Amino acid sequence: MGNVEPLEGCAPQPGAPAIAGRLVERSKGKDTTTGHWELMGVVTPTAMPTYPYGFPDEVIDPFMNRTGRGVIGNKPASGTEIIQELGEEHQKTGKWIVYTSADSVFQIAAHEQTVPLEELYNASRIAREILTGKHAVGRVIARPFVGGPGSYERTANRHDFSLEPQQPNYLSLVRGPVTRSTASARSATSSRIRTSTKSSGRSRTSRHPETEELLRTIDEGLVFTNLVETDSLWGTATTR
């Protein structure tokens, strides 16, 4: 640590058997997609669009027309709060709850008993097709929930529809004629394993943690484990 910056009681060691330095992000923007891309060597010189006042008609109108449902919300909001605010209206009208955040995201919430999951996922695919060019947000996120007024809860059936990163990137490079990569990302990977609980990705108390199983069973390649719960559950006081 003393080689990184001056610290009392921790003098720098010129002969330390390591390379020390301070990293600074090169990409513009602060959203998840930008960060994951830069981890894989893809720098984003222009920040992906955000919508502090909601999405314009040129996005919302074709989305409603193509999905056959109206839209309520259309504003920046906490994901847990907006389903409490608009969940009952959504169930009565069948309209999508659309919202965003400080990140470059288009989020669609729907009750699993009001809108079938596959319809929600298809609507997200439609939104992904619409959100291109100047409106190319980093992610379209399907946000299903269950429960009743005052006690709505999001489920584990969330699904993200991200922009595809440019290639080559570290994942595409590691995926050579011999090696294979196993990752949570969809692009440039040979296989993808989705863990259904927070414990399966991180805890040694789980009976069959997927990451540890991969480390025991694969002979070569890259394992990229995305522990999303460290952000969504424990990372900050605000839940997106």
Side-chain angles (χ1 to χ4, degrees), residues 28-43:
K28 303 297 182 182
K30 60 168 289 294
D31 53 274
T32 299
T33 301
T34 298
H36 278 71
W37 282 11
E38 185 158 330
L39 285 173
M40 293 298 105
V42 178
V43 174

Side-chain angles (χ1 to χ4, degrees), residues 41-73:
V42 178
V43 174
T44 307
T46 303
M48 297 174 185
T50 55
Y51 296 86
Y53 305 105
F55 297 93
D57 292 343
E58 61 190 283
V59 170
I60 295 297
D61 287 350
F63 175 71
M64 291 192 297
N65 291 335
R66 291 183 58 182
T67 61
R69 294 181 182 270
V71 164
I72 55 178

Side-chain angles (χ1 to χ4, degrees), residues 6 12 18 20 56 60 66 80 101 110 123 137 177 179 224 237:
I60 295 297
R66 291 183 58 182
T80 54
S101 71
V137 298
T179 61
F224 187 111

Side-chain angles (χ1 to χ4, degrees), residues 40 170-171 174 179-183 214 218 220-224:
M40 293 298 105
Y170 295 153
L171 288 180
V174 77
T179 61
R180 73 186 183 99
S181 56
T182 298
L214 287 168
I218 68 171
E220 57 190 8
L222 169 70
V223 177
F224 187 111

Side-chain angles (χ1 to χ4, degrees), residues 26 29 124 146 205 218 226:
R26 294 175 58 192
S124 300
V146 294
T205 62
I218 68 171
N226 188 0

Side-chain angles (χ1 to χ4, degrees), residues 84-232:
Q84 306 302 335
E85 175 190 349
L86 300 177
E88 187 173 7
E89 181 181 353
H90 156 73
Q91 288 200 276
K92 290 179 179 178
T93 64
K95 296 180 178 180
W96 304 112
I97 301 175
V98 171
Y99 64 103
T100 186
S101 71
D103 289 352
S104 182
V105 292
F106 184 100
Q107 304 192 76
I108 311 167
H111 196 286
E112 291 190 1
Q113 295 177 351
T114 302
V115 179
L117 272 175
E118 189 50 47
E119 183 180 350
L120 172 59
Y121 295 156
N122 188 57
S124 300
R125 296 184 188 99
I126 290 172
R128 181 71 278 171
E129 293 175 2
I130 293 170
L131 291 159
T132 58
K134 67 179 181 179
H135 296 304
V137 298
R139 289 174 295 159
V140 174
I141 307 177
R143 291 283 199 176
F145 63 97
V146 294
S151 60
Y152 291 117
E153 294 182 354
R154 299 194 293 192
T155 74
N157 293 319
R158 161 184 170 165
H159 192 81
D160 291 40
F161 299 80
S162 296
L163 284 177
E164 294 293 333
Q166 69 184 46
Q167 296 192 31
N169 55 61
Y170 295 153
L171 288 180
S172 65
L173 291 173
V174 77
R175 186 187 177 190
V178 177
T179 61
R180 73 186 183 99
S181 56
T182 298
S184 60
R186 288 179 311 219
S187 176
T189 61
S190 299
S191 60
R192 179 166 66 104
I193 297 174
R194 178 178 178 178
T195 57
S196 59
T197 65
K198 54 184 175 292
S199 61
S200 62
R202 68 177 179 88
S203 174
R204 290 184 176 272
T205 62
S206 301
R207 175 168 285 184
H208 298 293
E210 286 86 346
T211 300
E212 293 183 13
E213 179 67 17
L214 287 168
L215 293 175
R216 284 194 296 265
T217 57
I218 68 171
D219 296 323
E220 57 190 8
L222 169 70
V223 177
F224 187 111
T225 303
N226 188 0
L227 302 178
V228 65
E229 286 82 6
T230 56
D231 173 31
S232 61

